[in-house]
Amino acid sequence: AQSVTQLGSHVSVSEGALVLLRCNYSSSVPPYLFWYVQYPNQGLQLLLKYTSAATLVKGINDFEAEFKKSETSFHLTKPSAHMSDAAEYFCAVSDQAGTALIFGKGTTLSVSS
Amino acid sequence: DVKVTQSSRYLVKRTGEKVFLECVQDMDHENMFWYRQDPGLGLRLIYFSYDVKMKEKGDIPEGYSVSREKKERFSLILESASTNQTSMYLCASRVRDGSNQPQHFGDGTRLSIL
């Protein structure tokens, strides 16, 4: 069965520092992978998705993620953190039937000045 | 842009009440979903629907039911609300044959059961 593990429930960085949010997946079929962001009191917004076209995926707000099959990872990065990046981030994988998404437990990103 | 609208942002109900959460999408999506979000647990799927009057149980359907009478509307029903159903509820929609397509989410309903 598909599953997602996000390493680190909280990540803190300084403004301007590199952001790295970790996601490992388990999938018995080639996966479709997604990163979502949730700002306070809002729903989830898509950051980027991997659908096998390219291993390095660029998303909105300068975020990107690299799909590494050998490591079963799909880590999210941003070269320079901004205060407005403070939010909760979720990694998700399509379930085997391709119907629903299976979400990780989320990582809260804090950005300090 | 896809718009998924949940009827209430905040809702307070009493134990034992029948509670309706409504969700409407404007992009003619076939698939609609209800999730529950709790701190430290991420999002968990309650029910989904792939067509009008069709529904499938998700991971945590106990205590919930759903209704989809029209394509654009998907309702979540708490038959007899209990305090352990206090949570954030998120609705989402997606095209039918689109496992590589993202789900689009509403802003959520924060439900408190007293």
Side-chain angles (χ1 to χ4, degrees):
Chain A
Q2 272 76 345
S3 66
V4 173
T5 301
Q6 291 184 241
L7 299 174
S9 58
H10 288 89
V11 171
S12 296
V13 301
S14 299
E15 196 172 19
L18 172 71
V19 175
L20 171 60
L21 305 182
R22 299 176 187 274
C23 172
N24 288 89
Y25 69 91
S26 169
S27 177
S28 56
V29 297
Y32 295 123
L33 293 158
F34 304 83
W35 274 101
Y36 284 87
V37 61
Q38 185 180 34
Y39 299 104
N41 298 315
Q42 293 186 25
L44 275 67
Q45 177 183 352
L46 180 71
L47 273 177
L48 49 80
K49 65 178 182 179
Y50 168 75
T51 58
S52 76
T55 57
L56 185 62
V57 181
K58 293 189 182 299
I60 61 171
N61 300 335
D62 295 326
F63 281 94
E64 62 181 34
E66 186 172 8
F67 173 72
K68 291 188 177 181
K69 185 177 179 180
S70 60
E71 299 178 6
T72 61
S73 69
F74 190 55
H75 301 332
L76 182 71
T77 60
K78 180 172 180 175
S80 177
H82 192 274
M83 297 292 285
S84 60
D85 294 325
E88 190 161 20
Y89 292 80
F90 292 95
C91 181
V93 63
S94 284
D95 69 3
Q96 192 162 356
T99 305
L101 289 177
I102 297 167
F103 285 86
K105 290 180 168 46
T107 298
T108 299
L109 175 67
S110 299
V111 182
S112 58
S113 57
Chain B
D1 276 355
V2 176
K3 183 70 174 177
V4 178
T5 303
Q6 294 183 230
S7 55
S8 303
R9 293 297 304 276
Y10 301 92
L11 208 53
V12 179
K13 296 291 182 181
R14 296 206 173 274
T15 303
E17 280 192 69
K18 190 169 186 176
V19 180
F20 293 84
L21 302 184
E22 306 288 346
C23 175
V24 176
Q25 51 94 3
D26 67 356
M27 282 300 290
D28 203 36
H29 285 170
E30 292 82 5
N31 289 10
M32 295 188 74
F33 307 84
W34 274 107
Y35 292 90
R36 171 177 171 158
Q37 182 181 11
D38 298 289
L41 297 180
L43 278 74
R44 294 178 291 167
L45 182 65
I46 305 172
Y47 268 97
F48 69 93
S49 168
Y50 52 90
D51 206 342
V52 174
K53 297 190 185 296
M54 306 303 288
K55 61 185 179 184
E56 292 284 344
K57 292 180 180 179
D59 299 319
I60 52 166
E62 296 77 19
Y64 303 95
S65 63
V66 290
S67 173
R68 193 161 180 205
E69 297 296 320
K70 294 185 177 182
K71 190 175 185 180
E72 67 271 17
R73 185 180 299 271
F74 192 35
S75 302
L76 179 69
I77 303 159
L78 285 65
E79 297 291 344
S80 178
S82 64
T83 55
N84 63 12
Q85 292 177 309
T86 291
S87 187
M88 169 73 98
Y89 291 87
L90 291 163
C91 175
S93 72
R94 197 200 70 188
V95 296
R96 184 198 300 278
D97 295 321
S99 56
N100 63 340
Q101 297 300 314
Q103 294 182 13
H104 300 268
F105 286 83
D107 283 337
T109 295
R110 190 169 294 280
L111 176 64
S112 296
I113 307 296
L114 305 180

Coordinates of all heavy atoms in Angstrom, one line a residue, chain A residues 2 32 34 93-103, chain B residues 30-33 35 45 47-51 55-58 92-103:
Chain A
Q2 N 0.3 2.3 -0.6 CA 1.1 3.5 -0.6 C 1.1 4.2 0.7 O 0.2 4.1 1.5 CB 0.4 4.5 -1.6 CG 0.9 4.4 -3.1 CD 0.3 3.1 -3.8 OE1 -0.2 2.2 -3.2 NE2 0.4 3.1 -5.1
Y32 N 2.6 9.1 -8.4 CA 2.4 10.5 -8.7 C 2.5 11.2 -7.4 O 1.8 10.8 -6.4 CB 1.0 10.7 -9.3 CG 0.8 10.1 -10.7 CD1 -0.2 9.2 -10.9 CD2 1.7 10.4 -11.7 CE1 -0.3 8.6 -12.2 CE2 1.6 9.8 -13.0 CZ 0.6 8.9 -13.2 OH 0.4 8.3 -14.4
F34 N 2.9 14.9 -4.9 CA 2.4 16.2 -4.9 C 3.0 16.9 -3.6 O 3.1 16.2 -2.6 CB 0.9 16.3 -4.8 CG 0.2 15.6 -6.0 CD1 0.0 14.3 -6.0 CD2 -0.2 16.4 -7.1 CE1 -0.7 13.6 -7.0 CE2 -0.8 15.7 -8.1 CZ -1.1 14.4 -8.1
V93 N 0.9 11.3 -2.1 CA 1.0 10.3 -3.2 C -0.3 9.8 -3.6 O -1.2 9.6 -2.7 CB 2.0 9.2 -2.8 CG1 1.4 8.4 -1.6 CG2 2.3 8.3 -3.9
S94 N -0.5 9.6 -4.9 CA -1.8 9.0 -5.3 C -1.9 7.5 -4.8 O -0.9 6.8 -4.8 CB -1.8 9.0 -6.9 OG -2.1 10.2 -7.3
D95 N -3.1 7.1 -4.4 CA -3.2 5.7 -4.0 C -3.1 4.8 -5.2 O -3.1 5.2 -6.4 CB -4.5 5.6 -3.2 CG -5.7 5.7 -4.0 OD1 -5.7 5.9 -5.3 OD2 -6.8 5.6 -3.5
Q96 N -3.1 3.5 -4.9 CA -2.8 2.6 -6.0 C -3.9 2.6 -7.1 O -3.7 2.3 -8.2 CB -2.7 1.1 -5.4 CG -2.2 0.1 -6.3 CD -1.7 -1.1 -5.6 OE1 -1.7 -1.2 -4.4 NE2 -1.2 -2.1 -6.4
A97 N -5.1 2.9 -6.6 CA -6.2 2.9 -7.6 C -6.2 4.2 -8.4 O -7.0 4.3 -9.4 CB -7.6 2.8 -6.9
G98 N -5.4 5.1 -8.0 CA -5.3 6.4 -8.7 C -6.5 7.3 -8.4 O -6.8 8.2 -9.2
T99 N -7.2 7.0 -7.3 CA -8.4 7.8 -7.0 C -8.2 8.9 -5.9 O -8.4 10.0 -6.2 CB -9.5 6.8 -6.4 OG1 -9.7 5.8 -7.4 CG2 -10.8 7.6 -6.2
A100 N -7.6 8.5 -4.8 CA -7.5 9.4 -3.7 C -6.0 9.7 -3.5 O -5.1 9.1 -4.1 CB -8.1 8.9 -2.4
L101 N -5.7 10.7 -2.6 CA -4.4 11.1 -2.2 C -4.1 10.6 -0.8 O -5.0 10.6 0.0 CB -4.2 12.6 -2.3 CG -4.1 13.2 -3.6 CD1 -4.0 14.7 -3.5 CD2 -2.9 12.7 -4.4
I102 N -2.9 10.1 -0.6 CA -2.5 9.7 0.7 C -1.5 10.8 1.2 O -0.5 11.0 0.5 CB -1.9 8.3 0.7 CG1 -2.9 7.3 0.3 CG2 -1.3 8.0 2.1 CD1 -2.3 6.0 -0.1
F103 N -1.8 11.4 2.3 CA -1.0 12.5 2.8 C -0.1 12.1 3.9 O -0.4 11.2 4.7 CB -1.9 13.6 3.3 CG -2.6 14.4 2.3 CD1 -3.8 14.0 1.7 CD2 -2.1 15.6 1.8 CE1 -4.5 14.7 0.7 CE2 -2.8 16.3 0.8 CZ -4.0 15.8 0.3
Chain B
E30 N -15.7 15.4 -11.8 CA -16.4 14.2 -11.5 C -16.1 13.7 -10.0 O -17.0 13.3 -9.3 CB -16.1 13.0 -12.4 CG -16.5 13.2 -13.9 CD -15.6 14.1 -14.7 OE1 -14.5 14.5 -14.2 OE2 -15.9 14.4 -15.9
N31 N -14.9 13.8 -9.6 CA -14.5 13.3 -8.3 C -14.6 14.4 -7.2 O -14.1 15.5 -7.5 CB -13.1 12.7 -8.4 CG -13.0 11.5 -9.2 OD1 -13.9 11.1 -9.8 ND2 -11.8 10.8 -9.1
M32 N -15.1 14.0 -6.1 CA -15.1 14.9 -5.0 C -14.8 14.1 -3.7 O -15.1 12.9 -3.6 CB -16.5 15.7 -4.8 CG -16.8 16.6 -6.0 SD -18.2 17.6 -5.8 CE -17.6 18.8 -4.6
F33 N -14.2 14.8 -2.8 CA -13.6 14.2 -1.6 C -13.9 15.0 -0.3 O -14.0 16.2 -0.3 CB -12.1 14.1 -1.7 CG -11.6 13.5 -3.0 CD1 -11.5 14.3 -4.1 CD2 -11.2 12.2 -3.0 CE1 -11.0 13.7 -5.3 CE2 -10.7 11.6 -4.2 CZ -10.6 12.4 -5.4
Y35 N -12.2 15.2 3.5 CA -11.1 14.8 4.4 C -11.3 15.5 5.8 O -12.0 16.5 5.9 CB -9.7 15.4 3.9 CG -9.2 14.8 2.6 CD1 -9.5 15.3 1.4 CD2 -8.4 13.7 2.7 CE1 -9.0 14.8 0.2 CE2 -7.9 13.1 1.5 CZ -8.2 13.7 0.3 OH -7.7 13.2 -0.9
L45 N -8.9 10.6 4.7 CA -10.0 10.5 3.8 C -11.2 9.9 4.4 O -11.1 8.8 5.0 CB -9.6 9.7 2.5 CG -10.7 9.7 1.4 CD1 -11.0 11.0 0.8 CD2 -10.3 8.7 0.3
Y47 N -14.7 10.1 2.9 CA -15.5 9.5 1.8 C -15.1 10.2 0.5 O -14.6 11.3 0.5 CB -17.0 9.8 2.0 CG -17.8 8.7 2.7 CD1 -18.1 8.8 4.0 CD2 -18.3 7.6 2.0 CE1 -18.8 7.9 4.7 CE2 -19.1 6.6 2.6 CZ -19.3 6.8 4.0 OH -20.1 5.8 4.6
F48 N -15.3 9.5 -0.6 CA -15.2 10.2 -1.9 C -16.3 9.8 -2.8 O -17.0 8.7 -2.6 CB -13.8 10.1 -2.5 CG -13.5 8.7 -3.0 CD1 -13.7 8.3 -4.3 CD2 -12.9 7.8 -2.1 CE1 -13.4 7.0 -4.7 CE2 -12.6 6.5 -2.6 CZ -12.8 6.1 -3.9
S49 N -16.5 10.6 -3.8 CA -17.6 10.3 -4.8 C -17.0 10.5 -6.2 O -16.3 11.4 -6.5 CB -18.7 11.2 -4.6 OG -19.6 11.2 -5.7
Y50 N -17.3 9.5 -7.1 CA -16.8 9.6 -8.5 C -17.9 9.9 -9.5 O -17.6 9.9 -10.7 CB -16.0 8.3 -8.8 CG -16.8 7.1 -8.6 CD1 -17.6 6.5 -9.6 CD2 -16.7 6.4 -7.4 CE1 -18.3 5.4 -9.4 CE2 -17.4 5.2 -7.2 CZ -18.2 4.7 -8.1 OH -18.9 3.5 -7.9
D51 N -19.1 10.1 -9.0 CA -20.2 10.4 -9.9 C -21.4 10.8 -9.0 O -21.4 10.4 -7.8 CB -20.5 9.3 -10.9 CG -21.1 9.8 -12.1 OD1 -21.6 10.9 -12.2 OD2 -21.1 9.0 -13.1
K55 N -20.7 6.7 -4.3 CA -19.8 7.1 -3.2 C -19.0 5.9 -2.8 O -19.3 4.7 -3.0 CB -20.6 7.5 -1.9 CG -21.6 6.5 -1.4 CD -22.4 7.0 -0.3 CE -23.4 5.9 0.2 NZ -24.3 6.4 1.2
E56 N -17.8 6.2 -2.2 CA -16.9 5.1 -1.7 C -16.4 5.5 -0.3 O -16.1 6.7 -0.1 CB -15.7 4.9 -2.6 CG -16.1 4.3 -4.0 CD -16.4 2.8 -3.9 OE1 -16.0 2.2 -2.9 OE2 -17.0 2.3 -4.9
K57 N -16.3 4.6 0.6 CA -15.7 4.8 1.9 C -14.2 5.1 1.8 O -13.5 4.4 1.0 CB -16.0 3.7 2.8 CG -17.4 3.5 3.2 CD -17.6 2.3 4.1 CE -19.1 2.1 4.5 NZ -19.3 1.0 5.4
G58 N -13.8 6.0 2.6 CA -12.3 6.2 2.7 C -11.8 5.5 3.9 O -12.2 4.4 4.2
A92 N -12.5 18.6 -1.4 CA -11.7 18.7 -2.6 C -12.4 18.1 -3.8 O -13.3 17.3 -3.7 CB -10.3 18.0 -2.4
S93 N -11.9 18.6 -5.0 CA -12.5 18.0 -6.2 C -11.4 17.8 -7.2 O -10.3 18.4 -7.1 CB -13.6 18.9 -6.8 OG -13.0 20.1 -7.4
R94 N -11.6 16.9 -8.2 CA -10.6 16.6 -9.2 C -11.3 16.0 -10.4 O -12.4 15.4 -10.3 CB -9.6 15.6 -8.6 CG -8.3 15.4 -9.4 CD -7.6 14.1 -9.1 NE -8.4 13.0 -9.6 CZ -8.1 11.7 -9.4 NH1 -7.1 11.4 -8.6 NH2 -8.8 10.7 -9.9
V95 N -10.7 16.1 -11.6 CA -11.2 15.4 -12.8 C -11.2 13.9 -12.6 O -10.4 13.4 -11.8 CB -10.4 15.8 -14.0 CG1 -10.5 17.3 -14.4 CG2 -9.0 15.4 -13.9
R96 N -12.0 13.2 -13.3 CA -12.2 11.8 -13.1 C -11.0 11.0 -13.3 O -10.4 10.4 -12.4 CB -13.3 11.2 -14.0 CG -13.6 9.8 -13.7 CD -14.4 9.1 -14.8 NE -15.6 9.7 -15.1 CZ -16.8 9.5 -14.4 NH1 -16.7 8.6 -13.4 NH2 -17.9 10.1 -14.7
D97 N -10.5 11.0 -14.5 CA -9.3 10.1 -14.8 C -8.1 10.9 -14.7 O -7.4 11.2 -15.7 CB -9.5 9.5 -16.3 CG -10.7 8.6 -16.4 OD1 -10.9 7.9 -15.4 OD2 -11.4 8.7 -17.4
G98 N -7.8 11.3 -13.5 CA -6.6 12.2 -13.3 C -5.8 11.9 -12.1 O -5.6 12.8 -11.3
S99 N -5.3 10.6 -12.0 CA -4.5 10.3 -10.8 C -3.3 11.2 -10.8 O -2.7 11.4 -9.8 CB -4.2 8.8 -10.8 OG -3.5 8.5 -12.0
N100 N -2.9 11.7 -12.0 CA -1.7 12.6 -12.0 C -2.1 14.1 -12.0 O -1.3 15.0 -12.2 CB -0.9 12.3 -13.3 CG -1.7 12.7 -14.5 OD1 -2.9 12.7 -14.5 ND2 -1.0 12.9 -15.7
Q101 N -3.4 14.3 -11.7 CA -3.9 15.6 -11.6 C -4.1 16.0 -10.1 O -4.5 15.1 -9.3 CB -5.2 15.8 -12.4 CG -5.1 15.6 -13.9 CD -4.1 16.6 -14.5 OE1 -4.2 17.8 -14.2 NE2 -3.2 16.1 -15.3
P102 N -3.9 17.2 -9.8 CA -4.1 17.6 -8.4 C -5.5 17.7 -8.0 O -6.4 17.9 -8.8 CB -3.4 19.0 -8.3 CG -3.6 19.5 -9.7 CD -3.5 18.4 -10.6
Q103 N -5.7 17.5 -6.7 CA -7.0 17.9 -6.1 C -7.0 19.3 -5.7 O -6.0 19.9 -5.4 CB -7.3 17.0 -4.9 CG -7.4 15.5 -5.2 CD -7.7 14.7 -4.0 OE1 -8.1 15.2 -2.9 NE2 -7.6 13.4 -4.1

